[in-house]
Amino acid sequence: MSDSTLPPEPEKDRNDEPALSDAEVQRMHSQILREKEEPREGFPPVPIFLLFVFATVVFTCGIYMGKNSAGFRWDVYDPNFDPAQLNEAPAQVVYDPVAAGERIFSQNCVACHQSDGQGLPGAFPPLVGTAWVQDSRIVPTAVLLNGLNGPIEVAGSTYNGNMPAFGGLLSDRDIAAVLTYIRQAWGNTAGPITEAQVAEARQAHGSRAAPWTAEEVFSLSELSTPVE
Ligand code: HEC
């Protein structure tokens, strides 16, 4: 609004009085032209120090890759590698006879003696708290290796069944494991049976084809080293 109150500027003809004369314009331009670098053909050469820098970088990277590429083997790189795992305890590789024995029991024995070791009344004797399982190492080892037949007494009841032989099915180690398992499972408190002890028993009577009778197998334990 103030614009409208100001008086209009007087118009000038710029051609009337030029700011610079022709001569001055020419002189300025000739100065500028002189100071400009002459254009050259092609690319300017790389400065020599840059070449050294690049060479050093390439050399260093080459050494690094040569040292850490693991021979560029495809199977070395593990995208899921977690360095934190290096500090964790290594996976347990120790053989645990009780764990192995539990597995062997569930594969070979549960059908008759049941997973709680109680057996089935009248058909399959229990393994819990029985003298057969706990009182000697020799008796249960012999029963497993060669089988058991005829009337037996277990925990006050009489059974007259057929316990199959496992000597031909299971290794010494597996028999030791399953015996160790049943001797400490379900509240049983007997000590472990070792692979060597099973091997010894197998050597003594492993080739016997007939299953034991109760009398035979207990006499075996009396004849051998004293019951623990
Ligand atoms: C087919 C059924 C059957 C299977 C499988 C079986 N048993 Fe038996 N087991 C019996 C019978 C039946 C008797 C009793 C035998 C008798 O009456 O003379 C017996 C007796 C026993 C006895 C001695 C008696 C007692 O109760 O303490 C032990 C120890 C034993 N079995 C352990 C095992 C183990 C360990 C396995 C697995 C490796 C196994 N049995 C698999 C049927 C079986």
Side-chain angles (χ1 to χ4, degrees):
M1 48 175 177
S2 57
D3 281 359
S4 57
T5 57
L6 286 172
E9 269 190 36
E11 240 175 74
K12 276 192 214 163
D13 188 349
R14 287 168 197 216
N15 292 330
D16 281 355
E17 26 183 303
L20 297 165
S21 67
D22 283 357
E24 273 175 318
V25 171
Q26 211 149 32
R27 192 171 50 79
M28 265 179 66
H29 278 108
S30 70
Q31 255 174 14
I32 293 168
L33 281 174
R34 207 174 47 239
E35 281 164 15
K36 242 188 166 174
E37 215 184 319
E38 282 290 313
R40 272 187 266 172
E41 238 180 72
F43 298 105
V46 179
I48 200 83
F49 91 93
L50 258 188
L51 268 182
F52 275 113
V53 169
F54 283 135
T56 313
V57 168
V58 167
F59 186 70
T60 313
C61 292
I63 287 183
Y64 180 85
M65 280 173 76
K67 277 196 165 177
N68 301 295
S69 64
F72 291 102
R73 272 170 48 196
W74 62 270
D75 55 338
V76 165
Y77 173 66
D78 177 5
N80 300 320
F81 173 71
D82 177 7
Q85 279 177 356
L86 286 178
N87 300 326
E88 282 173 18
Q92 215 192 352
V93 287
V94 182
Y95 176 69
D96 177 2
V98 172
E102 185 169 12
R103 203 188 59 245
I104 295 158
F105 184 85
S106 69
Q107 287 164 356
N108 298 280
C109 323
V110 270
C112 300
H113 294 287
Q114 308 301 301
S115 57
D116 58 1
Q118 294 292 351
L120 289 177
F124 306 115
L127 303 175
V128 183
T130 71
W132 285 84
V133 172
Q134 297 187 96
D135 281 7
S136 107
R137 289 195 166 104
I138 289 145
V139 169
T141 308
V143 166
L144 274 221
L145 277 172
N146 306 104
L148 184 66
N149 216 346
I152 62 165
E153 195 158 309
V154 182
S157 311
T158 305
Y159 295 82
N160 192 354
N162 195 3
M163 160 78 193
F166 284 89
L169 278 174
L170 301 176
S171 66
D172 293 348
R173 184 157 125 149
D174 285 355
I175 288 177
V178 75
L179 286 173
T180 299
Y181 169 70
I182 64 170
R183 278 159 67 87
Q184 60 80 65
W186 319 296
N188 285 354
T189 53
I193 290 179
T194 65
E195 187 177 347
Q197 286 166 329
V198 177
E200 202 181 305
R202 195 192 282 276
Q203 198 146 34
H205 53 73
S207 55
R208 182 191 155 107
W212 302 104
T213 64
E215 211 179 312
E216 282 172 337
V217 85
F218 271 105
S219 71
L220 194 69
S221 83
E222 276 162 24
L223 288 174
S224 312
T225 44
V227 171
E228 80 263 31

